Amino acid sequence: SPSRIVVRLRARDRDESFYPDKIEYRFFPNERSLVTAIILEEIDFARIDGATAAVEISRQSRRYRVQPLPPPHYAVSLISYNFGTAILRSKNVRQALAYGINREEIYKRYLAISGADMLHGPFDEDSDNAAPGMNDYDYNPKKAIALLQSEGWRDTDNDKIMDRDGQPLRFRLFFPEGLSVDEQIVRQIEIDWLRLGIDVQPIPMAASSINDRLRVGEFDAVLHKHRFDETPESLEGLFGDGAGGGHFKYLNANFNRTLQSCKRLKDSKTRIPSLQRLQLILNYD
């Protein structure tokens, strides 16, 4: 059924009392309902994303053992923008959005407990492939407003939302439904952007629906998870080849040329400079 899968086991040639007669996989609409089911001892085993939920379970029940699991290498959460959306096509607007998010505050409130790292690029900063000189886009609301104004965005009707040519600075932000930490992050981003006069509309969606939207390019912005490898193919897999295709309709001729030359270099050490160049281009855009 949509809420569960039941697998019944047949062990006719073995001692049936030793084996379970079935395994039941249950699906929960959100993390809160899963945690409640665990505390009520309705669940034998579960994997959860949030450290906060794990702490709550360990406090509420002594019958579970909470075991930390290392995340997949280079698994990151990031906001991606659709370059095919008129508002987000501007580099200045995208940079303003970055300067307008107080990431340090978000990290301290919601992510520090989980031991997460705050990255400024797709690779760990102690990697040989990580590009030096990346812009951190530290929280700077004044700079964000200046960038928006340079693109003609003003609050002409005094409704607290910037507009241009009668169009409000408004777009949708999809994010995975049911995960409390993602909901908290998006809520804080919404507050940060609203202070600048940006009207973002957060929309929770099932992960499968987000993947479908990414595949066909029907989105404005999305908070999602992605796993990078330290290869040009990995960058291309998410951002495209810079020719205007891929999920994000990313268009940059310099990125396209650098990507093609980087892919022709098979030795990992030889291609480090061009792989770093790709990251700097993405960072600037």
Side-chain angles (χ1 to χ4, degrees):
S1 75
S3 62
R4 68 189 63 209
I5 295 173
V6 179
V7 180
R8 296 196 177 275
L9 307 179
R10 290 187 288 185
R12 295 172 181 171
D13 57 340
R14 296 178 289 187
D15 179 4
E16 295 187 12
S17 63
F18 182 77
Y19 297 96
D21 64 336
K22 68 177 180 179
I23 297 175
E24 183 174 313
Y25 300 88
R26 291 180 59 185
F27 302 94
F28 292 83
N30 51 62
E31 188 178 64
R32 180 72 262 158
S33 58
L34 170 59
V35 170
T36 300
I38 293 174
I39 293 174
L40 294 176
E41 300 181 7
E42 298 173 0
I43 305 296
D44 297 309
F45 173 84
R47 290 189 63 155
I48 54 179
D49 280 347
T52 303
V55 170
E56 180 180 358
I57 292 167
S58 65
R59 288 174 177 171
Q60 295 289 336
S61 174
R62 297 184 178 276
R63 301 195 60 173
Y64 288 94
R65 181 167 68 94
V66 178
Q67 176 66 45
L69 297 174
H73 195 49
Y74 287 156
V76 304
S77 292
L78 72 160
I79 293 179
S80 297
Y81 301 113
N82 187 348
F83 283 56
T85 303
I87 291 175
L88 300 173
R89 195 174 296 139
S90 164
K91 171 180 63 65
N92 284 340
V93 170
R94 295 191 303 272
Q95 290 190 356
L97 294 173
Y99 282 120
I101 298 175
N102 192 340
R103 289 180 298 145
E104 290 283 355
E105 185 65 23
I106 289 174
Y107 178 80
K108 286 190 292 185
R109 283 191 181 187
Y110 310 119
L111 299 174
I113 189 176
S114 66
D117 293 322
M118 186 161 62
L119 301 181
H120 303 109
F123 307 148
D124 285 344
E125 292 173 2
D126 58 357
S127 166
D128 291 337
N129 287 310
M134 300 273 272
N135 188 352
D136 293 345
Y137 292 99
D138 290 333
Y139 185 51
N140 191 334
K142 289 184 178 180
K143 189 164 188 173
I145 291 174
L147 285 167
L148 293 173
Q149 290 177 344
S150 72
E151 292 292 308
W153 293 101
R154 302 282 195 285
D155 181 13
T156 61
D157 52 6
N158 296 315
D159 65 348
K160 307 297 184 182
I161 303 299
M162 286 190 171
D163 56 86
R164 184 180 66 183
D165 300 328
Q167 179 189 18
L169 184 48
R170 178 180 296 130
F171 60 90
R172 300 166 300 168
L173 173 60
F174 297 156
F175 68 96
E177 66 181 1
L179 295 176
S180 58
V181 67
D182 286 350
E183 293 172 356
Q184 292 166 336
I185 289 172
V186 168
R187 189 179 304 116
Q188 188 59 51
I189 289 173
E190 180 184 14
I191 293 171
D192 288 344
W193 281 346
L194 191 59
R195 289 173 179 152
L196 303 177
I198 300 168
D199 183 18
V200 64
Q201 300 174 320
I203 301 176
M205 300 183 74
S208 58
S209 299
I210 289 179
N211 290 334
D212 290 341
R213 293 295 190 105
L214 285 172
R215 194 174 299 114
V216 298
E218 292 182 356
F219 70 98
D220 300 327
V222 57
L223 174 69
H224 63 123
K225 291 179 172 61
H226 187 77
R227 183 186 176 278
F228 288 101
D229 293 316
E230 292 190 31
T231 64
E233 290 80 10
S234 179
L235 296 179
E236 182 182 18
L238 181 64
F239 299 106
D241 62 1
H247 299 324
F248 309 134
K249 306 296 186 292
Y250 178 45
L251 185 63
N252 186 307
N254 193 11
F255 182 87
N256 180 264
R257 288 192 299 270
T258 307
L259 176 68
Q260 302 311 321
S261 63
C262 187
K263 289 168 65 176
R264 286 193 291 268
L265 300 171
K266 301 306 179 183
D267 180 70
S268 59
K269 291 186 177 180
T270 305
R271 70 184 182 194
I272 286 177
S274 56
L275 190 56
Q276 292 177 340
R277 177 63 181 159
L278 288 173
Q279 297 167 70
L280 289 170
I281 296 170
L282 290 169
N283 177 253
Y284 180 72
D285 276 336

